[in-house]
Amino acid sequence: MTYKKTQDFDKDFQEIATYARILSHPARIAILSYLAKTNSCISGDITNEIPLSRTTVSQHLQELKKAELITGEIDGVKICYCINSQTMKKCTDLFGKLFKNITKTKCC
Amino acid sequence: MTYKKTQDFDKDFQEIATYARILSHPARIAILSYLAKTNSCISGDITNEIPLSRTTVSQHLQELKKAELITGEIDGVKICYCINSQTMKKCTDLFGKLFKNITKTKCC
DNA sequence: AATATATGTCGTATGTTTGCAACATAATTC
DNA sequence: GAATTATGTTGCAAACATACGACATATATT
């Protein structure tokens, strides 16, 4: 086996990398952005906003849900997806801390 | 062709997604972190710090360089990699703005 | 100029992500 | 209970990412 050595790294680095991967696709950023600025968080409305097939948008939603960046609540036939503020805050802090640490004003 | 629709999204989203992809591997975060906290920015020293082969570390360095998050200057036989503060600042701002936008205290 | 040292590039194996059509399910309405 | 509506799941193909050994290059030292 010649694959995946992510677990050989610092736990913090692994965690940030995981969130970064979620944010590494514009569709997922677009979904989060849309959820933040509207109150209509119905799956179908999200799909209409994203220039991808229903299937693909659904998959991106599942990834965001798995990472706990969003929640999904069944409401009759429809499903309401919302931003998970708690995880989002954690994420904001992690990235904030990272960028603070790796900002360097001068080099050798 | 059934692939890659990233260009169908908002330019800002594409840009953040690109930086997020760079940060989506712990080795690259470890490299940036190491460069920030030490003055020894020689390629060989970085390689010794990362639990991956020289080849693989070199590839991660190339990716960071391509994204302009680091610079690489030849110094005799050695190469000195340094954090590109300008790009890093831009990156910090982009993510800061994103997280500020998608932080929502309540949902439907 | 031969040798040693530092580093990059190529080729390749394998795992992961992206995207979608087709099918499945589950609540609602007629 | 049949049709409709909203949504998730499966399976597949193409593209991309990860990892590394082997080879290439380029400076420094003897």
Side-chain angles (χ1 to χ4, degrees):
Chain A
M1 214 242 293
T2 67
Y3 219 59
K4 273 276 176 191
K5 300 219 161 176
T6 45
Q7 66 288 343
D8 294 352
F9 293 89
D10 193 296
K11 282 280 172 211
D12 274 3
F13 294 168
Q14 285 183 49
E15 194 171 24
I16 295 176
T18 300
Y19 285 121
R21 201 194 60 74
I22 300 290
L23 296 175
S24 75
H25 196 291
R28 291 191 285 264
I29 298 179
I31 290 170
L32 291 173
S33 205
Y34 175 75
L35 287 182
K37 83 163 66 95
T38 184
N39 285 316
S40 159
C41 54
I42 304 302
S43 177
D45 294 343
I46 301 167
T47 300
N48 290 333
E49 196 71 10
I50 308 291
L52 293 171
S53 82
R54 204 177 51 71
T55 311
T56 308
V57 173
S58 176
Q59 279 180 166
H60 284 306
L61 286 168
Q62 295 325 304
E63 283 210 72
L64 288 164
K65 200 175 162 189
K66 199 175 156 198
E68 295 183 78
L69 284 169
I70 61 172
T71 56
E73 259 180 60
I74 297 169
D75 175 25
V77 200
K78 305 185 174 183
I79 295 189
C80 179
Y81 285 104
C82 297
I83 285 180
N84 182 334
S85 308
Q86 209 177 330
T87 314
M88 202 56 79
K89 194 196 171 321
K90 182 186 172 189
C91 205
T92 306
D93 291 348
L94 274 172
F95 277 86
K97 215 170 72 180
L98 174 72
F99 284 125
K100 197 179 167 192
N101 281 339
I102 62 184
T103 295
K104 204 180 186 182
T105 41
K106 66 168 191 150
C107 189
C108 39
Chain B
M1 216 241 292
T2 67
Y3 218 59
K4 272 277 173 191
K5 300 220 161 176
T6 45
Q7 67 287 342
D8 295 352
F9 294 88
D10 193 297
K11 282 281 174 213
D12 274 2
F13 294 168
Q14 285 183 52
E15 195 172 24
I16 296 176
T18 301
Y19 286 121
R21 200 193 62 73
I22 301 290
L23 296 176
S24 76
H25 197 291
R28 292 192 285 264
I29 298 180
I31 291 170
L32 291 172
S33 204
Y34 176 75
L35 286 181
K37 82 164 64 97
T38 184
N39 284 316
S40 158
C41 53
I42 303 302
S43 178
D45 294 343
I46 301 167
T47 300
N48 290 334
E49 197 70 12
I50 307 290
L52 292 170
S53 81
R54 206 179 51 70
T55 312
T56 306
V57 173
S58 177
Q59 277 179 169
H60 285 306
L61 285 167
Q62 295 324 304
E63 282 209 73
L64 288 165
K65 200 176 164 187
K66 199 175 157 200
E68 295 182 80
L69 284 169
I70 61 172
T71 57
E73 260 180 58
I74 297 168
D75 175 24
V77 200
K78 305 186 176 183
I79 294 188
C80 179
Y81 286 104
C82 297
I83 284 181
N84 182 334
S85 309
Q86 209 177 329
T87 314
M88 201 57 78
K89 194 197 170 322
K90 182 185 171 189
C91 206
T92 306
D93 290 349
L94 274 172
F95 276 86
K97 214 170 70 181
L98 174 71
F99 284 125
K100 197 178 165 193
N101 280 339
I102 61 184
T103 295
K104 205 181 185 182
T105 40
K106 65 168 192 152
C107 189
C108 38

